[in-house]
Amino acid sequence: MDTKPTAIVLAVDDETYNLKIISYHLKNENYEVVTAGDGQEAWDLLVGSPEQFDTILLDRSMPRMSGMEVLRKIKSHDILKSIPVIFQTAMKHQDDILEGLQAGAYYYLTKPYKRDALRSIVNAAVSDSIKYRKLKSETAKVLKAFSCLKKGEFEVYTLEQGEQLSALLSSACPEPNKVVVGLWELILNGIEHGNLGISYKEKSQLNQDNQWTSEIQRRLSLRENEVKFVGIQMNRNNNHIEFVIQDQGNGFDWQNYIDVSPARAFDTHGRGIAMACMYSFDRVEYSGKGNIVSAIVSLNS
């Protein structure tokens, strides 16, 4: 009996050989790979089945419709805009990478493909996609009556609690599916980097070794971490909803993560805060030593 694929990946490239390489390298990852030979074909597939794909591998230079044009269309589409896009390109200039990042391509992959790098970045994008869909599904289950909440204080100790609270609090917002992603990323950052002290470099290695989840659980079980929590305050007035998130860590240099740096574009992580700023909230502000963040959702149309 065939095993159902864990995710569907759309690979877009005008070079047939590149599509064959992508399909070959991903064949043991339990993904179904759908291919498109140019931007227009890809766009037709996407708008025809906007909820089908989990991740898009998008070439930059193509006939009929360029990768940048497809990317901009994706990010302006209500359903497609939340699908992680991996920009695949032979270009290495900072300006070209920055243009893609600013348009919403939070993952980058260079040609020629290296198997491990391809698998790693696709796995990271698919993992994010599955996580975001789960969060949105949880949000949909929450009672609409929660939108009446004006003020609340909460404490989160584990990732599971963070997911549940993100779904709950975002349901009080006009566009919960947008807010839940950013709220979860800010809470996650407070747990893993703030309370548990996992550095950027350490997470890169944990992702590479597929040990991130087990290391999170190990650190949560340590006596010194059992009492640590991420505090979340929610306040609502006639103009906006504010979420204030505070962890018990030593803070960090948050200025480097408000935007996705071209220098980190090829990493498997490090884009959560930037996504929260660009996609989920109208304003995000850090204070103190970097362990307090305020995220604003405007209620004015």
Side-chain angles (χ1 to χ4, degrees), residues 8-282:
I8 300 178
V9 178
L10 176 61
V12 189
D13 200 303
D14 60 323
E15 295 289 341
T16 303
Y17 177 75
N18 288 335
L19 295 176
K20 289 181 178 179
I21 290 294
I22 292 169
S23 298
Y24 177 77
H25 285 330
L26 296 180
K27 69 179 181 179
N28 295 324
E29 299 296 312
N30 197 29
Y31 299 148
E32 178 184 342
V33 180
V34 177
T35 62
D38 59 47
Q40 185 61 58
E41 182 182 355
W43 181 244
D44 291 342
L45 286 170
L46 289 166
V47 295
S49 301
E51 297 182 346
Q52 177 183 5
F53 300 101
D54 296 278
T55 299
I56 303 166
L57 268 159
L58 183 62
D59 189 31
R60 183 185 180 100
S61 302
M62 294 182 294
R64 293 213 294 168
M65 187 184 297
S66 71
M68 280 301 305
E69 188 176 352
V70 176
L71 177 61
R72 292 189 179 105
K73 285 177 173 288
I74 289 171
K75 293 304 174 181
S76 65
H77 191 282
D78 287 343
I79 298 175
L80 296 173
K81 64 185 177 183
S82 63
I83 301 177
V85 175
I86 304 168
F87 231 23
Q88 43 175 335
T89 178
M91 301 181 186
K92 295 183 179 179
H93 295 102
Q94 294 272 314
D95 290 345
D96 296 319
I97 296 172
L98 185 60
E99 182 184 15
L101 292 172
Q102 291 174 338
Y106 295 121
Y107 302 84
Y108 255 86
L109 190 65
T110 54
K111 299 176 181 178
Y113 304 115
K114 293 182 180 179
R115 185 191 63 179
D116 290 346
L118 172 64
R119 288 180 175 179
S120 231
I121 205 72
V122 171
N123 288 344
V126 166
S127 177
D128 280 350
S129 180
I130 292 172
K131 176 178 64 181
Y132 295 153
R133 286 192 178 186
K134 178 184 176 184
L135 287 168
K136 291 174 183 179
S137 176
E138 290 297 320
T139 301
K141 298 176 185 177
V142 176
L143 294 174
K144 293 294 183 181
F146 196 76
S147 62
C148 299
L149 182 68
K150 295 293 185 182
K151 180 181 293 187
E153 293 188 9
F154 309 86
E155 294 179 356
V156 165
Y157 294 82
T158 67
L159 298 184
E160 183 179 12
Q161 291 173 349
E163 289 181 1
Q164 293 169 347
L165 186 63
S166 297
L168 187 67
L169 294 181
S170 63
S171 69
C173 300
E175 296 183 79
N177 283 344
K178 282 179 56 177
V179 175
V180 68
V181 172
L183 196 54
W184 159 247
E185 290 290 354
L186 296 179
I187 293 174
L188 171 63
N189 185 71
I191 294 174
E192 65 170 354
H193 298 306
N195 290 352
L196 301 184
I198 296 177
S199 68
Y200 190 93
K201 183 177 180 180
E202 285 175 324
K203 184 168 183 178
S204 297
Q205 189 63 51
L206 290 169
N207 281 348
Q208 182 177 324
D209 298 338
N210 198 28
Q211 295 294 318
W212 179 80
T213 300
S214 59
E215 179 62 12
I216 288 284
Q217 297 306 320
R218 186 190 73 81
R219 295 199 187 196
L220 283 172
S221 67
L222 297 176
R223 180 172 297 180
E224 63 265 28
N225 292 328
E226 287 180 345
V227 296
K228 291 181 180 178
F229 62 87
V230 173
I232 300 98
Q233 295 181 2
M234 173 193 164
N235 293 285
R236 180 190 187 109
N237 61 32
N238 293 331
N239 299 316
H240 65 257
I241 297 174
E242 180 184 28
F243 300 101
V244 179
I245 301 160
Q246 180 173 0
D247 64 64
Q248 296 176 305
N250 296 321
F252 73 112
D253 189 11
W254 53 269
Q255 292 94 337
N256 290 329
Y257 297 92
I258 291 295
D259 300 305
V260 181
S261 165
R264 300 195 311 272
F266 302 94
D267 294 349
T268 58
H269 67 104
R271 52 191 55 82
I273 293 173
M275 288 180 65
C277 293
M278 296 178 66
Y279 173 67
S280 297
F281 301 107
D282 295 293

